Amino acid sequence: MNITTLNGILPILILTGVGLLVLLVEAFIERDRERRFAFILSLAGIIATLVSLFSQLVHHDADLLLFGGALIVDHTGLAFSIIICLGALLVLILSHRHVTRIHRNAGEFYSLILFATLGMHALTISNDMMTFFVSLEVMSVAVYILAGVNRKSLKSNESALKYLILGAFSTAFLLLGIAFVYGATGQMGFMEIKEALLSEANAPFQSVGILGLILIMVGFIFKIGAFPFQQWVPDVYEGAPSIVTAFMATCVKTAAFAILLRGLFTFFQADESGFLMSALTVITVLTMIFGNFMALIQSNIKRLIAYSGIAHTGYILLAILAALSDPAKPDITPILFYLLVYTLMTVGAFAVLIGASRGGEEVETFEDIRGLGYKHKLLGLFMAFFFFSLAGIPSTAGFMGKFFIFKAAISKELYALAVIGILTAVVSVYYYLKIVVYLYLKEENRRYEKYSIQWNYLLASFLTFLLVLFLGIFPQFGFKLLK
Amino acid sequence: MIHFIDNIENYIYLIPLLPLIGFVINGLIGKNLPRGIVYFIGCISIFASFVLSALALWKVIDTGNALEIAYGSWFHSGGLNVSIGLKVDQLSAVMINIVSGVGFLIHFYSIGYMKGDEGIYKFFAYLNLFCFAMLVLVMGDNLLLLFLGWEGVGLCSYLLIGFWYKNKDYADAGKKAFIVNRIGDFGFLIGIFLIFQYFGTLNIAGIQEFLVKHPGEVKLLIEGGVITIITLLLFVGATGKSAQIPLYVWLPDAMAGPTPVSALIHAATMVTAGVYMIGRLHFLFSLSEVTMLIILIVGAVTALYSGTIAITQKDIKKVLAYSTISQLGYMFMAMSVGAFSVGIFHLMTHAFFKALLFLSAGSVIIACHHEQDMTKMGGLSKRLPVTHIAMFIGMLALSGTVPYISGFLSKDLILEKVFLFEGGLGVLSGLPVGKIFWGVGLITALFTAFYSFRLMGMTFWAKTRMKDEDYHHVKEPSKAMSTVLILLAVLSIVGGWVGIPEILGGNNPFHSFLSKVFDPTSAHGEVHHGNTPYILMGVSTSLGIILAIIAAFMYGKNWSFPERFTQKGIGKLLHRLSYNKYYIDELYEVLFVKTIMKGSRLLWKWVDAFIIDGLVNGTGRLAQLIAKLGQNVQTGNVNTYALSIVLGVMALLTWFMIATYNN
Amino acid sequence: MFTLQNSIILGLILFSIGAYGVLTRRNLLVVLMSLEIMFNAVNLIVLAFNYFRFYQQGKELGHYFVLLVIAVAAAEAAVGLAILVTIYRNRRNVDSDELTEMKG
């Protein structure tokens, strides 16, 4: 174990260590102090992780293979991890005062977030079937628990259960896929598998291997919430506590995309029939259409965000398709950029939703936000801004993200896809703007008393606001970072 | 500190930035700040800008080079690589000092003028924003930044003209300004696109380089008329911004805004943006004789035309408004004959004396309790001594009747340059073009002298028409305002001394200074033409003085001649035409506004309500239908969801089998 | 009898049985059990592959993998049961048809 290895797995070590520490804190320190202590610890942990990630990104130029090829620390993986940790950080800040309303022991909550982040990070840098599987499960199980962390809420329970059952179900298929791939190649490492699949000697088991790959893809598609495996998304997002939904919608999705990307680019050449491309194309189109259209008729904002998240997944898939057209040198900057922007926008939107809910009532439906813009001007402003960005109104980061994706699609001649993407994006403007309109509808909901907004909400909202604005104007900065 | 001054080029970005910060502060929290702080922030930001501008000017004079900051790439999309930067060369240096200097004086003046107004924080915020936009316009090193500032000042003028928006007429005036400007901007924008298309860059230095490096291509472009089209389009934008025919109609109405606004935007700065733009792109305009000729014609006709309107107007501000249009015409005339530095010179002197005139008028208006009709004034010279003298000096400058005063010098130079112009194409070739337009300019000058002193007569020298109690209530409104008036009066006198031409004993440092930008090959600008300049000067000055005296007496002593002349016959007709601005506004209304309204109502009824609404609603209903179908999919039951996963997997596998078996 | 083919088929049959359970049964406890059956079916398949194809070459990656899967499945089952218990406490039943608070 030399210093390079240590450096490479530093984020993992930090997250594990701090996660465990927080659990201990929760066990040994009494309630009030515990919450604050746990919070500070978790915050420190995430920040330390971010620092480590950044330093690795800046210092290393070559890819770092660790543990005999089980982990690969490269720029792509680090970039994804940074986005994830950023999202986790924001969610943490957001959750500070709010946690005890949904769960008695704040420490458990924080440690779960840390462990989930751990799984996600490991996922982005995994290079081997086994590491990938374990990381995936670490992340997923933590998130299953998080979804149901509010034990008193029926919806939360239901959400957790559905997520777990369906998640495990799709994991089973994933495992089957791994089994077949292993059976076909005898390898577990991604690189080795690719070589084995391509080599002539393996011919009889070729189709078995490809079959396995398809099943593995099924697992991925489930996790990112794309058609036709997206059914869990609306229910789970709606039922889980808002903070957790924010976490799921952003970080889990990003991590899933990270591993999807790595898998795709490693195995893509093994597929000679072009099946993968066409299957992905169909999936992308259906996802974009389904997500946007279903969102139109929702009256619950969380559910709406869930469906719109499905739509965004579709856009990212489009970006992936564009990158795939050039497998030798894939340009994944639109993907990374969009994920970053999407994370910020979504967390921001949730931050405002959470900030607006007080007195134990969660803000969920259109009726709940009616007139909010008048009672709390700043909140209304932020919310409108985030939804504008989600809708892709020009001069926001959301617009830039979509712009780059469509530009990439067009430059790779995926004209039909781009057109469908743009059309569905137009549809999305309707339901996003509907929210903004409701914000400023005259009749005020009586439930709002004037209250002072807590600093953490404000901080989180403001930070994301600034970043979104900034990125909207200077997308190049984002690009330089993510190269 | 010295280091700061020495390296002023690194800090020139502060020049537009400081007013922007002032805007942000006053705009966001100005409502909650005490008045004093609002005034302070508004004024100190532009004052600091002025100090920096002065330092920058000094540096430019000192080194003879431009100060530049390049910020590198802003964004690139497609083949367009936009890099931004700020550049202060001799021309810009002059402009930023005018903008920030006069701007500051006007900010200061507004403290007195807008006293008691409830939206005061907004006012100062907008003023600052306007200065920011104007500074960006003149400091930008590429056309995109220029256009950004261009649009910005247009927006600010809309905000400020319609500042007292509660009055519908005022709000309409703001709208009119914005819309008419937009039309001009449309042409401007197309011009910019064409420039990019043919020159491949929007960077001003880059365009110049292109012209030098590709003479062959450039020749083709000239012959193909492309350059003419481009410059004409740019000029259309200029007519909008700088109120020339046919897009001048917004400026008189814009007098609805508070007087400091009129001073800043319509006298000293914004309207001069068009003139600046031609100066900045002079190398492009010089390539097209056609365009230059058109500019000459438009400028001259506009100058004369608005002069004839000004002599019958009753509203004190309207007289000044038409006067501005007229003077702008002069500036364009100068630019069109290639006398760029002369045009900018007149821009500068005009900034001084026009601002002076507007602010003095403001003083009068406030003193008479917001009365703007001159026929109801009179005799104010005794009650408003400072304002009286200030306005008198301003009028002397405007009419150019006193030698060595700023307006005299600049206007005379223009007339001289026009006289010496030898050009003319098509139907005009063979005619002594220069002399003809000199004649137009001369007649305009006569009208100028006339309406200037008519105003003085009606307002200050005639026996008062005010009621006694009102008359005795009239007094100088505020010290702040008076101070500014005095300062501007001084500037109006001495401001022109940097441009005293050789024939009058000076060595015209202004022209040499700007020649670096306009014509690097001529260091000494002027060539003697014998006695011609003196003759021209003599003629225009003496005739001007005669008319001024006539006007002064006619209106100061309340002669009945004007009234009798306009009672019947040709006098009545001319008066009618002039007073009603030749009914142009009404013409536009019928031609354009009514037609557009009718057309749009038609469109609304048929196309919009029927077809488009039908389509849109239909699509909406279709979308909802699809969604409802989708809802049936989300049953809420776990088992169902699991089933769909299995079905999905089956589908994929089957598809895969088919795909592989086909190979 | 004991060939690779047959082992795989056995595994797949088990897998399908598990899948059938997840799709059909209303009692969530049974659903969880079916999931376990699916996981173990996969384990079987992996081991089969490993034994018949690679064991001679000295590679036992499959074994390691199976161990991991067992551990993970156990963790997942534990969590699943915990959630189930919470649901039961709140609702007094564990019927998937009852569990449709959210739909559409």
Side-chain angles (χ1 to χ4, degrees):
Chain A
M1 177 83 88
N2 56 7
I3 190 77
T4 343
T5 321
L6 199 59
N7 206 9
I9 60 170
L10 197 57
I12 298 182
L13 291 176
I14 296 178
L15 284 170
T16 321
V18 178
L20 289 173
L21 261 176
V22 170
L23 267 181
L24 285 178
V25 161
E26 190 253 316
F28 289 118
I29 303 189
E30 77 221 15
R31 189 80 59 74
D32 294 319
R33 288 205 355 231
E34 165 225 337
R35 200 190 64 198
R36 213 169 300 159
F37 204 59
F39 175 67
I40 297 181
L41 254 185
S42 326
L43 211 57
I46 292 275
I47 294 182
T49 316
L50 268 173
V51 169
S52 163
L53 286 172
F54 266 111
S55 83
Q56 283 182 51
L57 190 66
V58 169
H59 287 168
H60 296 169
D61 272 322
D63 302 343
L64 184 65
L65 278 176
L66 296 173
F67 299 114
L71 294 177
I72 177 170
V73 183
D74 62 351
H75 278 207
T76 322
L78 287 172
F80 275 107
S81 291
I82 289 178
I83 298 179
I84 293 172
C85 286
L86 196 60
L89 179 67
L90 288 171
V91 167
L92 260 182
I93 298 179
L94 207 50
S95 66
H96 181 49
R97 297 278 172 89
H98 183 71
V99 181
T100 39
R101 265 197 282 136
I102 52 178
H103 186 72
R104 270 198 0 231
N105 301 317
E108 287 176 356
F109 183 83
Y110 294 136
S111 62
L112 279 172
I113 299 241
L114 287 170
F115 288 139
T117 318
L118 167 67
M120 293 173 196
H121 169 66
L123 197 56
T124 63
I125 59 174
S126 57
N127 198 25
D128 182 288
M129 288 294 185
M130 292 200 278
T131 16
F132 136 66
F133 174 67
V134 173
S135 320
L136 184 70
E137 286 304 297
V138 167
M139 166 184 92
S140 303
V141 173
V143 180
Y144 299 155
I145 305 176
L146 278 171
V149 86
N150 185 351
R151 285 182 285 185
K152 293 195 211 96
S153 155
L154 288 178
K155 277 201 190 174
S156 184
N157 295 342
E158 188 181 320
S159 145
L161 185 83
K162 281 187 181 162
Y163 200 10
L164 183 138
I165 292 186
L166 291 168
F169 194 58
S170 72
T171 307
F173 279 98
L174 185 98
L175 277 175
L176 195 60
I178 296 182
F180 283 148
V181 169
Y182 174 67
T185 63
Q187 306 292 337
M188 281 292 191
F190 285 176
M191 315 283 208
E192 292 86 346
I193 292 179
K194 175 169 100 166
E195 279 174 35
L197 280 176
L198 283 175
S199 78
E200 294 301 318
N202 230 352
F205 289 100
Q206 180 78 289
S207 33
V208 175
I210 307 283
L211 197 69
L213 285 179
I214 295 179
L215 286 172
I216 297 180
M217 281 279 298
V218 168
F220 290 152
I221 297 179
F222 172 86
K223 266 286 177 277
I224 61 176
F227 196 92
F229 308 122
Q230 85 303 339
Q231 305 217 283
W232 58 277
V233 176
D235 292 356
V236 172
Y237 280 25
E238 183 191 340
S242 299
I243 304 217
V244 176
T245 312
F247 190 55
M248 289 193 290
T250 56
C251 300
V252 173
K253 195 172 291 198
T254 309
F257 269 114
I259 189 64
L260 176 67
L261 224 55
R262 205 181 280 293
L264 268 181
F265 284 113
T266 320
F267 301 134
F268 195 61
Q269 281 123 327
D271 165 46
E272 288 146 358
S273 64
F275 168 70
L276 221 51
M277 256 313 236
S278 10
L280 269 179
T281 313
V282 172
I283 290 176
T284 309
V285 169
L286 289 173
T287 307
M288 290 194 285
I289 296 182
F290 183 79
N292 277 312
F293 276 89
M294 288 300 282
L296 286 176
I297 53 174
Q298 297 305 316
S299 60
N300 181 312
I301 298 190
K302 275 167 74 176
R303 211 171 168 81
L304 186 147
I305 295 184
Y307 278 115
S308 83
I310 296 179
H312 285 285
T313 301
Y315 302 138
I316 300 180
L317 279 173
L318 179 59
I320 294 183
L321 277 177
L324 273 181
S325 315
D326 189 9
K329 279 196 61 122
D331 177 22
I332 57 171
T333 22
I335 304 172
L336 279 170
F337 183 74
Y338 197 80
L339 276 170
L340 176 63
V341 166
Y342 173 71
T343 304
L344 290 172
M345 297 193 283
T346 312
V347 173
F350 273 106
V352 181
L353 277 177
I354 295 172
S357 55
R358 202 64 167 104
E361 303 252 6
E362 283 220 6
V363 171
E364 289 206 352
T365 64
F366 277 105
E367 278 308 307
D368 290 339
I369 61 165
R370 199 172 207 175
L372 182 57
Y374 286 118
K375 266 288 181 196
H376 304 285
K377 300 230 163 53
L378 207 57
L379 262 188
L381 184 65
F382 282 161
M383 192 153 189
F385 188 72
F386 288 130
F387 280 108
F388 278 145
S389 190
L390 280 166
I393 307 273
S395 95
T396 58
F399 169 74
M400 279 296 172
K402 288 204 173 71
F403 174 72
F404 286 125
I405 291 185
F406 291 135
K407 188 170 114 155
I410 292 183
S411 73
K412 295 282 168 36
E413 300 186 1
L414 300 168
Y415 296 125
L417 283 172
V419 167
I420 296 181
I422 297 177
L423 283 177
T424 48
V426 168
V427 171
S428 77
V429 172
Y430 167 71
Y431 54 79
Y432 285 127
L433 286 188
K434 187 167 151 195
I435 297 180
V436 178
V437 165
Y438 263 84
L439 277 178
Y440 290 104
L441 233 40
K442 282 290 182 161
E443 295 166 42
E444 292 168 14
N445 195 314
R446 272 175 292 121
R447 283 217 304 266
Y448 290 124
E449 329 93 40
K450 253 262 186 247
Y451 66 89
S452 55
I453 306 179
Q454 287 154 358
W455 68 270
N456 53 333
Y457 302 143
L458 205 58
L459 186 62
S461 313
F462 192 57
L463 273 177
T464 42
F465 178 80
L466 275 182
L467 277 170
V468 169
L469 196 59
F470 179 67
L471 281 175
I473 304 177
F474 296 110
Q476 308 291 26
F477 282 109
F479 275 93
K480 280 201 205 125
L481 271 178
L482 297 171
K483 257 282 176 260
Chain B
M1 194 59 189
I2 306 286
H3 169 83
F4 178 75
I5 298 178
D6 266 346
N7 285 309
I8 191 76
E9 53 262 27
N10 293 331
Y11 297 104
I12 57 177
Y13 63 89
L14 283 177
I15 296 179
L17 187 66
L18 291 172
L20 181 66
I21 295 179
F23 160 70
V24 169
I25 297 181
N26 264 336
L28 281 184
I29 56 176
K31 207 175 190 157
N32 308 320
L33 295 173
R35 304 215 132 189
I37 304 276
V38 170
Y39 297 155
F40 182 71
I41 294 181
C43 293
I44 200 74
S45 53
I46 190 77
F47 182 70
S49 214
F50 173 62
V51 169
L52 288 171
S53 306
L55 286 173
L57 176 67
W58 183 22
K59 191 85 196 270
V60 173
I61 295 178
D62 206 27
T63 64
N65 292 325
L67 311 173
E68 305 182 46
I69 303 184
Y71 287 112
S73 210
W74 181 10
F75 65 88
H76 42 144
S77 105
L80 174 63
N81 194 329
V82 178
S83 61
I84 55 170
L86 297 175
K87 182 168 168 181
V88 177
D89 65 355
Q90 286 81 353
L91 175 60
S92 300
V94 169
M95 294 299 294
I96 57 178
N97 275 284
I98 296 179
V99 173
S100 55
V102 178
F104 167 64
L105 289 175
I106 295 181
H107 276 72
F108 194 66
Y109 174 94
S110 304
I111 298 180
Y113 191 85
M114 300 293 287
K115 205 187 331 213
D117 194 299
E118 36 171 65
I120 190 123
Y121 70 96
K122 259 199 292 181
F123 189 76
F124 276 95
Y126 291 155
L127 279 185
N128 268 355
L129 183 67
F130 168 72
C131 289
F132 161 71
M134 191 68 197
L135 287 168
V136 167
L137 198 160
V138 300
M139 281 174 78
D141 74 345
N142 71 6
L143 286 176
L144 211 57
L145 269 185
L146 192 148
F147 188 66
L148 198 76
W150 189 272
E151 292 286 289
V153 297
L155 172 70
C156 288
S157 69
Y158 160 73
L159 290 173
L160 284 168
I161 292 174
F163 186 68
W164 290 316
Y165 58 90
K166 300 210 170 84
N167 178 322
K168 181 165 194 299
D169 286 336
Y170 295 169
D172 280 349
K175 250 198 308 186
K176 186 169 175 179
F178 195 65
I179 294 178
V180 174
N181 246 262
R182 250 18 214 107
I183 300 176
D185 292 349
F186 180 63
F188 194 66
L189 202 56
I190 300 185
I192 293 186
F193 284 152
L194 286 176
I195 289 184
F196 178 64
Q197 166 131 5
Y198 285 104
F199 298 116
T201 174
L202 288 178
N203 189 303
I204 298 181
I207 301 176
Q208 252 178 315
E209 246 180 72
F210 183 92
L211 292 175
V212 168
K213 285 205 188 128
H214 301 100
E217 268 182 64
V218 174
K219 191 145 178 289
L220 277 176
L221 289 175
I222 298 180
E223 282 164 11
V226 172
I227 305 260
T228 306
I229 295 182
I230 292 180
T231 47
L232 271 181
L233 285 170
L234 293 176
F235 179 59
V236 167
T239 57
K241 262 292 172 287
S242 300
Q244 298 295 292
I245 293 177
L247 295 175
Y248 68 91
V249 289
W250 61 273
L251 196 143
D253 285 6
M255 296 298 112
T259 311
V261 171
S262 311
L264 181 67
I265 293 182
H266 309 119
T269 42
M270 173 172 131
V271 294
T272 55
V275 181
Y276 164 77
M277 186 267 295
I278 297 188
R280 183 45 85 206
L281 294 174
H282 69 275
F283 47 88
L284 206 57
F285 280 91
S286 313
L287 291 177
S288 166
E289 276 186 61
V290 179
T291 309
M292 293 292 255
L293 205 57
I294 293 184
I295 298 181
L296 176 62
I297 297 176
V298 171
V301 172
T302 309
L304 182 59
Y305 166 78
S306 48
T308 58
I309 299 183
I311 58 173
T312 59
Q313 295 304 308
K314 289 204 279 198
D315 182 330
I316 193 173
K317 280 174 76 172
K318 285 245 166 50
V319 175
L320 294 178
Y322 284 103
S323 163
T324 304
I325 301 179
S326 188
Q327 295 299 305
L328 286 169
Y330 271 119
M331 290 181 224
F332 280 109
M333 283 170 76
M335 303 305 255
S336 71
V337 298
F340 301 112
S341 59
V342 174
I344 300 290
F345 184 44
H346 194 61
L347 189 154
M348 185 172 80
T349 60
H350 178 261
F352 298 147
F353 62 71
K354 210 26 109 25
L356 172 64
L357 285 173
F358 266 110
L359 295 184
S360 315
S363 176
V364 168
I365 293 175
I366 293 248
C368 298
H369 297 294
H370 290 282
E371 174 61 68
Q372 290 183 216
D373 188 338
M374 292 191 293
T375 56
K376 300 205 172 69
M377 300 182 199
L380 295 179
S381 57
K382 298 196 188 61
R383 307 293 314 168
L384 298 172
V386 178
T387 310
H388 171 228
I389 302 210
M391 201 143 198
F392 183 62
I393 295 182
M395 285 307 183
L396 287 181
L398 171 61
S399 55
T401 39
V402 173
Y404 290 100
I405 204 171
S406 62
F408 168 83
L409 295 167
S410 55
K411 186 193 296 201
D412 242 67
L413 269 175
I414 295 181
L415 286 177
E416 180 191 328
K417 295 291 181 201
V418 171
F419 187 81
L420 294 172
F421 176 64
E422 321 233 331
L425 304 169
V427 69
L428 291 174
S429 59
L431 293 175
V433 175
K435 324 274 187 289
I436 294 183
F437 283 102
W438 173 82
V440 175
L442 178 66
I443 299 180
T444 311
L446 300 184
F447 273 99
T448 308
F450 189 77
Y451 65 67
S452 312
F453 284 89
R454 167 178 178 269
L455 188 149
M456 293 301 291
M458 285 177 82
T459 316
F460 292 103
W461 300 327
K463 227 170 37 188
T464 184
R465 280 160 285 232
M466 297 172 80
K467 292 202 276 267
D468 265 345
E469 326 87 67
D470 295 335
Y471 185 66
H472 284 285
H473 268 152
V474 172
K475 61 177 171 66
E476 295 283 355
S478 118
K479 287 236 182 66
M481 287 162 65
S482 309
T483 321
V484 172
L485 290 182
I486 298 178
L487 278 170
L488 279 174
V490 171
L491 265 180
S492 298
I493 300 180
V494 311
W497 288 353
V498 291
I500 301 183
E502 287 168 12
I503 49 175
L504 289 181
N507 60 353
N508 206 340
F510 190 79
H511 175 83
S512 341
F513 180 61
L514 282 182
S515 65
K516 184 98 194 289
V517 175
F518 289 130
D519 188 2
T521 57
S522 85
H524 300 286
E526 285 170 51
V527 183
H528 263 298
H529 283 271
N531 282 329
T532 328
Y534 296 108
I535 299 181
L536 294 176
M537 223 185 296
V539 170
S540 57
T541 314
S542 44
L543 283 179
I545 295 183
I546 293 178
L547 261 116
I549 298 182
I550 296 181
F553 274 97
M554 245 203 252
Y555 291 95
K557 294 281 188 210
N558 251 331
W559 285 0
S560 59
F561 172 71
E563 273 192 54
R564 284 187 292 128
F565 179 68
T566 56
Q567 288 286 18
K568 50 192 169 28
I570 186 137
K572 185 161 184 211
L573 180 66
L574 288 175
H575 180 258
R576 265 278 203 72
L577 276 180
S578 163
Y579 185 67
N580 291 305
K581 312 163 253 144
Y582 297 95
Y583 297 104
I584 294 287
D585 274 316
E586 289 76 3
L587 190 68
Y588 278 8
E589 170 100 19
V590 167
L591 267 187
F592 299 118
V593 177
K594 281 232 163 69
T595 330
I596 293 181
M597 297 278 277
K598 266 233 191 87
S600 89
R601 213 163 299 169
L602 209 72
L603 272 177
W604 174 72
K605 272 234 298 275
W606 287 102
V607 180
D608 201 38
F610 194 62
I611 301 180
I612 297 190
D613 267 352
L615 261 177
V616 169
N617 283 347
T619 328
R621 260 171 286 168
L622 184 67
Q624 286 197 318
L625 212 68
I626 296 181
K628 285 257 159 53
L629 283 175
Q631 269 195 315
N632 292 336
V633 167
Q634 299 280 147
T635 60
N637 186 329
V638 206
N639 305 74
T640 324
Y641 294 176
L643 178 63
S644 69
I645 293 185
V646 171
L647 286 177
V649 174
M650 301 277 184
L652 274 173
L653 291 179
T654 326
W655 185 0
F656 172 66
M657 307 273 203
I658 300 178
T660 34
Y661 278 160
N662 279 342
N663 279 353
Chain C
M1 197 46 199
F2 189 40
T3 66
L4 178 61
Q5 291 260 51
N6 294 345
S7 310
I8 308 273
I9 293 178
L10 174 64
L12 287 176
I13 292 178
L14 273 176
F15 192 82
S16 319
I17 293 176
Y20 175 78
V22 174
L23 290 180
T24 330
R25 302 295 296 238
R26 272 170 56 177
N27 189 324
L28 291 169
L29 198 52
V30 178
V31 169
L32 281 178
M33 289 195 286
S34 314
L35 282 172
E36 289 301 305
I37 296 180
M38 289 171 81
F39 284 134
N40 287 309
V42 174
N43 284 344
L44 196 61
I45 296 178
V46 172
L47 285 173
F49 270 121
N50 192 294
Y51 179 74
F52 284 103
R53 282 199 68 190
F54 311 119
Y55 201 50
Q56 286 77 19
Q57 302 157 33
K59 291 202 285 217
E60 326 100 357
L61 282 175
H63 295 179
Y64 304 140
F65 187 65
V66 167
L67 282 173
L68 282 174
V69 174
I70 292 176
V72 168
E76 223 159 339
V79 172
L81 284 170
I83 298 181
L84 211 57
V85 167
T86 316
I87 292 185
Y88 184 75
R89 280 210 187 126
N90 284 334
R91 290 169 158 271
R92 294 262 129 219
N93 77 349
V94 277
D95 185 331
S96 74
D97 283 344
E98 294 288 318
L99 213 57
T100 50
E101 275 270 331
M102 307 180 281
K103 49 178 162 223

